[in-house]
Amino acid sequence: MILVDDLLVKPFVSLLDILHAMAVEEMYDVEAIQDEIKENRLLYELGERPEWEYERRKADLEAQLETAEEVRERLRNGKVEVKR
């Protein structure tokens, strides 16, 4: 039974761990959010985005950035909790 678990279950669990880590990295990509903040500012400065939309998007992105930085810090410290 232990041999079956080692051969069938452990690779599957390892794969799920890798997929989970990749998903978290993509969801909380600090650099990508910073790029979106820069793009938002550029669009506003070029006149392609109205001020109200710029401000709304800026607030959303800053909140996302704060969350992403917190998650990254927790990942580095190994203090990640999954809430349902």
Side-chain angles (χ1 to χ4, degrees), residues 32-48:
I33 297 169
Q34 290 170 337
D35 288 345
E36 285 187 58
I37 290 171
K38 292 174 191 173
E39 180 182 4
N40 184 50
R41 177 72 183 181
L42 182 63
L43 290 172
Y44 171 68
E45 288 175 354
L46 293 174
E48 294 183 22

Side-chain angles (χ1 to χ4, degrees), residues 10-84:
K10 282 191 179 187
F12 182 71
V13 171
S14 296
L15 179 62
L16 288 179
D17 287 341
I18 291 168
L19 291 174
H20 177 260
M22 290 172 64
V24 168
E25 286 288 323
E26 188 172 326
M27 283 178 55
Y28 299 107
D29 187 358
V30 172
E31 294 80 21
I33 297 169
Q34 290 170 337
D35 288 345
E36 285 187 58
I37 290 171
K38 292 174 191 173
E39 180 182 4
N40 184 50
R41 177 72 183 181
L42 182 63
L43 290 172
Y44 171 68
E45 288 175 354
L46 293 174
E48 294 183 22
R49 182 163 287 171
E51 185 176 359
W52 66 268
E53 187 177 343
Y54 163 73
E55 292 294 337
R56 181 191 55 80
R57 184 73 177 134
K58 179 183 173 191
D60 290 345
L61 290 169
E62 287 173 345
Q64 287 179 16
L65 181 61
E66 184 177 327
T67 301
E69 288 171 341
E70 288 176 13
V71 169
R72 286 283 178 103
E73 185 62 32
R74 288 181 181 179
L75 285 172
R76 273 187 233 121
N77 295 332
K79 297 179 182 177
V80 177
E81 297 177 14
V82 177
K83 295 183 180 180
R84 294 179 189 234

